[in-house]
Structures are given as C-alpha cells and as structure tokens.
Amino acid sequence: MEKPKFKTVQEVVAAGEGLPERYLHAPTGDGEVQPLNAAVPEMDIPAIDLNLLLSSSEDGREELRKLHSALSTWGVVQVMNHGITKAFLDKIYKLTKEFFALPTEEKQKCAREIDSIQGYGNDMILWDDQVLDWIDRLYITTYPEDQRQLNFWPEVPLGFRETLHEYTMKQRIVIEQFFKAMARSLELEENSFLDMYGESATLDTRFNMYPPCPSPDKVIGVKPHADGSAITLLLPDKDVGGLQFQKDGKWYKAPIVPDTILINVGDQMEIMSNGIYKSPVHRVVTNREKERISVATFCIPGADKEIQPVNELVSEARPRLYKTVKKYVELYFKYYQQGRRPIEAALI
Ligand code: OGA
Ligand code: NI
C-alpha cells in the first residue's frame, strides 16, 4: 500500500522551515492586484427554515419563494430548523478538532493511498505545477454503507466512527427533505429530483483543517471551484470565517450563523434544474492567527444515473442547456485539472 510522500500543511508548519513555494500564488498579471485576503462584503443570503419548507401553509409557501430566490441568485442558503441538535453538531466540531490535533503517526493510520481520494492527507495533487491549497483533510465515503472502507475511519478520537455514522443517517433525512423542497419551489412534483438523484447516491464527507497561514495574501485555503456534487452540506467553522462565494465576478464572504447547515447547489443540481439553480463558484481564504475547520458532505448521484434537465423545466422559452451526463465526478476532475469549469463540458 503506497502512501503519498507529500507533507500535510500541519507537518509543514511543525517543521518550521518557512513557506514552501508550492503554496504561493503568483500575481495573475491581468490587473488583479487585490491580495487574496482583501476585505470583501458579506453576502445577503437568507436563513431558511427547513421545517417550514415542508409545510403547505402560507408561511411555507413564502419560505419556498425565499429558497427559490436564493438558489437562483447565489446558489446557497443557510438552513435552520433542520432537526439536528446543536449538541450533536457540537460533537462533530469537537471530534473534528480532536482528530486533527492528534500526533501525525496517529492520523497517518488513516492516510490516503496514492490514486485514492479517500483518507487523510494534504490537498490532492492532480498536476505537476499545481499551486497547493493550504488545507489538510480527511475524506470518507459514508454511504451507501456497503461502500464504506473502515480503514479510513479513525478509531481515535473515541466515538468518531459512531458519530459519523449517526451524522450520515441524520443528513440523509435533511437531504431528502431539501430535494423535495427544491422541486416544490420550482412547482415540480416533489420527487422530480430525487428520482433522478437515485437511491444509490453516494455521500462523501470531508473534514477540513486550515492551519493559520503566514502569508494569507498569497496563499489560499481552497482555490475557486464549484462543487461537482448535486448538493453539498457544509458545517463551516463557528468562529473563523474564510468561505467566500462569487457573484457577478465579485467575492462575498459567507455570514457565520451558528448551528445552521450551509447548503450549496452543485453542478449536477444546476444541470437537473436546467440552469435555474446555480452551482456557485466559491473559495476559502486563510488567515494568520486562527485555525479553521469545516465539514463538507457531497451528495453524489450513483454512477449508473443519467443526470439531465428535468423535462418540465425545458420549454421553448427556456431551451435545454445541458447534455445528459453520467459519472460526472470523473469528468469533473479532468476539467478541473485543466483549470476549466467542469460544467462547461455538459453545456449543449
Ligand atoms: C469544499 C469547500 C468550504 C469550506 O470542500 O468543496 O468548498 O468551508 N469547502 O471548507
Ligand atoms: Ni466546495
């Protein structure tokens, strides 16, 4: 079993040998003089009440309109009243911090193997001159259960495995409700997206650690990208910001609203909604003082599923924008590597 020889960011910091060049972004030269950590305005996205979204009351319909408005402009919402308790979310945050605080040897027990996305390690290196992201991560496929590879599931901190299992099951309920709400917000039959997304859909959970960075002006936590998922559920750090979304070519920071789950549209949902719901480009900037953690879950349609705009959203006034795609995530990485937006590959 071959393990990558690259150091994690935590190891780079611990070695105290300064900042390796591989993390430094050169100025783009096309007029962009803003340092990466320049101040940006906050985005005005609503907190959506998931419980209300499910109700057929007038307040419920108003909530669906809010959802429609946010997903068709920003492609992201903060979800509250999602049914997962604050105490449980706090347990996930705590276990995430405890995992990354373990000695290297302990974390290496879950180390990623070469050519595998699952496991503990640094930014995936996809091409030779790639500028690396200032991030360490633990990436685990959590669903379907028969696809779990337990060798990547930490045995310490105690309770990590059980909690991740429990979180997965709780997320499945939120995901199903959210897919139904998205369909209803577009006046579709509530299973329209779920049927295409499928029973066999995969859930991948990524625990992210962004150590404090000596050069936040030139180093980035996660490069600009849109997610290749159908949707992504994110638990952003409760204290430390850094996540930014792009709209009309400008960056905005995500507000921190404790105990909400941030849900963003991914490319495959953009395709299913025929472009009405936007898969937003986003990035994470670093800071000098504080480490930041987050937990992202990518909801990925099964490899056998054909993803395409649902019929009811295609009309003469709104022609079909995307081809039918299958195994979109594979295509995603190919395009990502070329520095292109993968969803371009799906455009008609
Ligand atoms: C991602 C991502 C944001 C964050 O993992 O795709 O955008 O806040 N993460 O860590
Ligand atoms: Ni992302």
Side-chain angles (χ1 to χ4, degrees):
M1 185 162 67
E2 211 184 342
K3 306 273 185 184
K5 289 168 199 71
F6 247 87
K7 282 197 178 102
T8 61
V9 176
Q10 285 184 307
E11 287 174 283
V12 167
V13 172
E17 292 163 356
L19 186 62
E21 280 206 20
R22 283 214 70 172
Y23 291 94
L24 288 176
H25 283 265
T28 54
D30 53 8
E32 204 205 311
V33 282
Q34 289 270 47
L36 290 170
N37 61 340
V40 299
E42 192 164 278
M43 58 202 293
D44 58 344
I45 50 166
I48 299 274
D49 183 326
L50 184 59
N51 209 23
L52 207 49
L53 277 181
L54 306 171
S55 131
S56 48
S57 64
E58 182 46 44
D59 284 351
R61 281 192 290 278
E62 179 54 31
E63 209 65 6
L64 286 173
R65 283 191 284 273
K66 260 164 62 182
L67 180 72
H68 184 285
S69 156
L71 295 186
S72 54
T73 51
W74 292 102
V76 50
V77 286
Q78 322 252 11
V79 175
M80 57 178 179
N81 237 331
H82 41 62
I84 305 181
T85 64
K86 170 176 163 29
F88 188 80
L89 293 179
D90 283 345
K91 190 151 87 172
I92 299 171
Y93 282 116
K94 182 163 169 278
L95 287 166
T96 306
K97 286 188 180 158
E98 284 173 359
F99 173 78
F100 285 106
L102 292 171
T104 302
E105 308 75 64
E106 188 59 42
K107 284 178 290 203
Q108 288 293 344
K109 290 182 183 166
C110 301
R112 184 172 76 214
E113 294 151 30
I114 285 187
D115 296 332
S116 159
I117 187 165
Q118 279 201 73
Y120 166 70
N122 59 312
D123 186 15
M124 287 266 285
I125 301 175
L126 296 167
W127 64 97
D128 277 348
D129 56 355
Q130 178 181 340
V131 179
L132 296 184
D133 290 349
W134 192 257
I135 183 175
D136 294 336
R137 52 182 58 153
L138 171 66
Y139 191 112
I140 297 176
T141 295
T142 59
Y143 200 87
E145 286 183 63
D146 63 6
Q147 281 181 32
R148 290 181 179 175
Q149 288 183 259
L150 284 181
N151 52 317
F152 296 121
W153 293 56
E155 284 186 276
V156 267
L158 234 56
F160 192 102
R161 288 182 169 190
E162 294 77 4
T163 305
L164 181 55
H165 169 74
E166 220 182 307
Y167 183 44
T168 302
M169 296 306 152
K170 290 178 194 292
Q171 285 184 106
R172 278 181 48 77
I173 298 167
V174 174
I175 291 161
E176 186 179 324
Q177 292 173 338
F178 196 76
F179 269 111
K180 286 185 176 172
M182 284 193 293
R184 289 176 52 220
S185 72
L186 291 162
E187 286 163 20
L188 300 170
E189 196 282 311
E190 69 174 8
N191 287 320
S192 304
F193 295 130
L194 271 180
D195 288 345
M196 199 177 285
Y197 170 72
E199 283 287 306
S200 58
T202 300
L203 296 181
D204 286 347
T205 293
R206 197 168 98 181
F207 299 84
N208 299 309
M209 150 63 81
Y210 306 87
C213 178
S215 288
D217 52 332
K218 298 190 196 70
V219 174
I220 201 153
V222 178
K223 282 188 266 300
H225 68 284
D227 292 349
S229 56
I231 57 170
T232 304
L233 275 58
L234 183 78
L235 304 180
D237 196 292
K238 293 224 259 190
D239 303 307
V240 184
L243 177 60
Q244 301 183 349
F245 286 85
Q246 201 177 49
K247 187 151 99 58
D248 304 326
K250 292 203 186 78
W251 290 107
Y252 297 83
K253 63 181 174 191
I256 296 181
V257 187
D259 311 318
T260 58
I261 301 176
L262 186 143
I263 300 187
N264 70 266
V265 171
D267 289 355
Q268 300 198 58
M269 185 62 216
E270 179 169 323
I271 294 170
M272 290 192 273
S273 72
N274 200 23
I276 298 175
Y277 287 170
K278 305 281 187 294
S279 171
V281 172
H282 52 286
R283 68 178 185 181
V284 178
V285 298
T286 55
N287 79 84
R288 219 181 284 274
E289 286 87 29
K290 291 183 174 164
E291 68 178 35
R292 176 177 185 273
I293 56 156
S294 68
V295 181
T297 297
F298 304 100
C299 309
I300 302 169
D304 57 324
K305 285 284 168 189
E306 299 200 318
I307 299 298
Q308 59 191 40
V310 301
N311 285 334
E312 293 80 357
L313 298 178
V314 178
S315 65
E316 223 157 294
R318 189 172 186 93
R320 180 170 166 169
L321 293 176
Y322 305 95
K323 299 176 212 163
T324 302
V325 297
K326 230 174 147 174
K327 299 192 193 161
Y328 181 78
V329 173
E330 286 176 20
L331 178 141
Y332 179 91
F333 280 112
K334 224 179 282 168
Y335 266 66
Y336 182 71
Q337 193 169 1
Q338 297 163 359
R340 298 161 72 188
R341 268 209 73 182
I343 200 159
E344 284 172 22
L347 279 172
I348 281 179

